[in-house]
Amino acid sequence: MANTYGGLMLIGVTDKRDVKGVKEKAIESIVEHCNSKIEPPYVPEIVPVPLGQSSELYVLVLRVVPGTYTRPLLVDGVAWVRHQNTSHPADWARLRDLFAENAAGQYQNDAWNVTAPQMPSKAAGGLDESVDFVLRSGLTVAMAPDATWRPLAESAVTAYITALQNSLLARELADLVTSEAASASISRFQHKGFNRSRTVRLEWSGAPSGWTNHQNPAVEACARLEVPGAYGQPGTHLRVEIDLGVRFSAATDGLRQATCTWRVPIHQLRLLIDAMIATLSSKEVIEPVAGLAGVDPIAVPQPRALHMGTARPITEVLDIGGLRLIPDAGMSRGAHLLANPALDLATVDDRSAQVKDWLVQIALDAGLLGMQQVLEGSADARSRHGLSGLRRGD
């Protein structure tokens, strides 16, 4: 399984699906076996599931995710592989492919395999300071060998588009656009720009009524699927990226006669980040992505990195009410954030804890104290008021 596409193993369940259970001490035997019999030594991921409060027995769930270790893994010098519920030694061609994947496996292990976005520039040069902030996260999925040469299947791409259109991210983007105006113009995720047999590019855009800059929407998102490589350079990883760009300060300035400076409220930024990660971790997105990569959905990793970029200093973008500036701390125009690998970002509680940690890091990088207290103080006040971050200019 580790040399192929991964999966789950249940220790304590028979082939006839009878749940027998094992003693918790079996974990030690499994770990020792994997360390002594597998080359290089393999450390399994084991989740013990108790059979009941009064029982001393467990079902041990072994989760095998390819791309998190160097392949091939050998037992007595043999690289075993799975094929249609059977195991057999890898032939010469498969063994060659496994050794060739070493570099790809290291790339999969790289926590920064989703690169930071480039901030938009003005036509005359320099950063476009009408952009409040840009967020980017994504997935990098090791592809099955027989999927690297195929074009991206339209049925799976259609399922991916549908998942994005119905996602929490799409709902949060729509809420952002309509928060300051009675009505809005919204274009849902659809093909736009550079699309080819191995590249898919989707755009979402929205603007409140009265927005005149049609070239640059007030809020926009770009979702990309790509199998990199061209003739003579076959790809080994499917790349999934979502960018979110917000120009809402320009939108509010255009809608109001008085001079206003919009800053993103902490609760709004929290909702947007949570929605992006929830969408990338959702079953509805992961299943078509797995289909495009030719792997089991369990082999699709969760998002591991989030990038935030700003054209202006973060202290001029974030609503810093309740936060304290550190004197002479300098300025920050973004943050590069890693996920805690111990957290399951597909669950609400773990994802909420991760987003809180990221917001604290964003504040500290910008020379701001008090983010943790602000987040704890607003934990009981999550009612959605729309955007409350407009501040009168001098």
Side-chain angles (χ1 to χ4, degrees), residues 2 51 63 86 128 132 149 214 226 276 309 323 338 347 391:
L51 294 186
R63 184 170 183 260
T86 63
D128 182 358
D132 297 306
W149 56 268
H214 299 294
E226 180 182 8
M276 176 177 281
L323 304 179
L338 286 179
T347 65
R391 294 185 169 186

Side-chain angles (χ1 to χ4, degrees), residues 133 135-137 168-169 172 244 264-281 302-308 318 335-364 371-376 378 382:
F133 60 89
L135 297 175
R136 171 181 286 180
S137 189
L168 180 60
L169 178 61
E172 289 297 341
L244 164 61
V264 58
I266 292 171
H267 81 272
Q268 183 69 67
L269 182 59
R270 180 178 176 180
L271 288 171
L272 289 172
I273 294 175
D274 181 88
M276 176 177 281
I277 301 302
T279 297
L280 286 168
S281 304
Q302 294 187 346
R304 302 173 67 186
L306 175 76
H307 299 280
M308 179 177 180
L318 187 66
H336 307 296
L337 309 159
L338 286 179
N340 181 348
L343 296 178
D344 181 359
L345 300 183
T347 65
V348 174
D349 290 342
D350 279 8
R351 188 170 63 250
S352 176
Q354 182 62 81
V355 174
K356 287 180 182 178
D357 287 346
W358 280 342
L359 289 170
V360 170
Q361 182 178 336
I362 290 170
L364 290 173
M371 177 63 81
Q372 186 171 351
Q373 290 78 6
V374 168
L375 293 172
E376 291 173 353
S378 62
R382 294 186 182 178

Side-chain angles (χ1 to χ4, degrees), residues 3 71-74 77-81 89-102:
N3 283 330
R71 301 204 296 187
L73 295 174
L74 308 177
V78 177
W80 293 87
V81 294
D91 59 18
W92 181 88
R94 181 62 180 141
L95 196 59
R96 176 200 60 195
D97 292 341
L98 286 169
F99 277 108
E101 286 175 2
N102 278 341

Side-chain angles (χ1 to χ4, degrees), residues 170-319:
R171 295 197 295 272
E172 289 297 341
L173 294 175
D175 286 351
L176 173 59
V177 173
T178 58
S179 59
E180 287 290 327
S183 60
S185 173
I186 292 175
S187 175
R188 304 175 70 194
F189 282 104
Q190 58 185 310
H191 291 277
K192 188 173 181 180
F194 187 86
N195 280 268
R196 295 294 189 272
S197 63
R198 304 170 71 83
T199 302
V200 174
R201 187 180 187 279
L202 311 170
E203 279 194 9
W204 185 103
S205 62
S209 299
W211 176 255
T212 58
N213 189 347
H214 299 294
Q215 184 175 359
N216 294 314
V219 180
E220 60 185 334
C222 178
R224 291 180 299 277
L225 291 170
E226 180 182 8
V227 181
Y231 177 74
Q233 297 178 330
T236 58
H237 286 72
L238 173 68
R239 295 178 60 85
V240 181
E241 289 182 348
I242 297 179
D243 286 359
L244 164 61
V246 174
R247 289 183 173 85
F248 219 78
S249 58
T252 54
D253 286 348
L255 294 172
R256 298 168 181 264
Q257 294 181 351
T259 302
C260 296
T261 301
W262 179 81
R263 297 188 180 191
V264 58
I266 292 171
H267 81 272
Q268 183 69 67
L269 182 59
R270 180 178 176 180
L271 288 171
L272 289 172
I273 294 175
D274 181 88
M276 176 177 281
I277 301 302
T279 297
L280 286 168
S281 304
S282 68
K283 175 183 177 182
E284 292 75 15
V285 165
I286 287 176
E287 286 186 346
V289 167
L292 291 167
V295 300
D296 191 279
I298 198 172
V300 178
Q302 294 187 346
R304 302 173 67 186
L306 175 76
H307 299 280
M308 179 177 180
T310 61
R312 309 187 303 277
I314 283 184
T315 50
E316 298 178 13
V317 173
L318 187 66
D319 184 350

